[in-house]
Amino acid sequence: MFDFESVQQLRQTGQYEAAKAVVRQYVETAPNDPTVLYQMAWCHDSLGEEHAAVPYYEQALALGLTGEDRLQAYIGLGSTYRVIGQFEVASDVFHRALREFPDAHALQAFLAMTEYNLGQADQAVGRLLKSLATTSSDASIQTFDRAIRYYADHLDEIVKE
């Protein structure tokens, strides 16, 4: 049995190398366990070892990681691809994730960052505006909900006389 509580405690206290060492032992004993692979990806990411994290995220997802961990792995993988400059791949990851988790607004935010990197600022801003309108409980946002949603798809619209 894997003691992920101890790994989490090591992370919370900033002992990322120690957490990685513990998870590495788990990887050696269970190399096809998607949860263990996801934990190793997370360890690499937290240490700024993005390139090393990618195959662990990919394997964890391919081997059937489930639930909240699956969502977090998609975010980690897509974000990692974005950070290392593989914007098209990141976009593909986020679109794939949104098919599985259509209500995950964090995915929308990370996809918007990726769209920005791809030079798709209008799509990125529109995506963020829709997400804002959907998730905000701010009264002033809710007052203008209809207009915000409309302009999210019509950012360049200019009304002529």
Side-chain angles (χ1 to χ4, degrees), residues 37-110:
L37 295 170
Y38 166 62
Q39 293 293 321
M40 183 55 89
W42 199 100
C43 287
H44 282 295
D45 245 355
S46 65
L47 287 164
E49 301 168 351
E50 288 83 3
H51 292 275
V54 168
Y56 289 104
Y57 281 129
E58 292 280 9
Q59 287 178 294
L61 290 165
L63 289 171
L65 189 66
T66 60
E68 184 68 19
D69 284 348
R70 186 169 182 84
L71 171 60
Q72 298 298 322
Y74 271 127
I75 292 169
L77 178 61
S79 177
T80 297
Y81 275 129
R82 190 187 78 76
V83 166
I84 64 175
Q86 294 188 26
F87 306 131
E88 291 289 346
V89 179
S91 178
D92 290 344
V93 168
F94 291 133
H95 279 100
R96 185 175 59 186
L98 280 166
R99 285 192 291 277
E100 289 185 41
F101 300 97
D103 298 325
H105 291 283
L107 284 171
Q108 298 286 356
F110 280 97

Side-chain angles (χ1 to χ4, degrees), residues 87-143:
F87 306 131
E88 291 289 346
V89 179
S91 178
D92 290 344
V93 168
F94 291 133
H95 279 100
R96 185 175 59 186
L98 280 166
R99 285 192 291 277
E100 289 185 41
F101 300 97
D103 298 325
H105 291 283
L107 284 171
Q108 298 286 356
F110 280 97
L111 178 54
M113 287 183 255
T114 303
E115 288 169 337
Y116 170 83
N117 293 128
L118 288 167
Q120 301 166 349
D122 54 342
Q123 277 183 251
V125 171
R127 182 175 305 282
L128 291 174
L129 287 171
K130 288 175 188 173
S131 191
L132 177 67
T134 300
T135 61
S136 179
S137 60
D138 183 274
S140 64
I141 297 293
Q142 292 307 307
T143 297

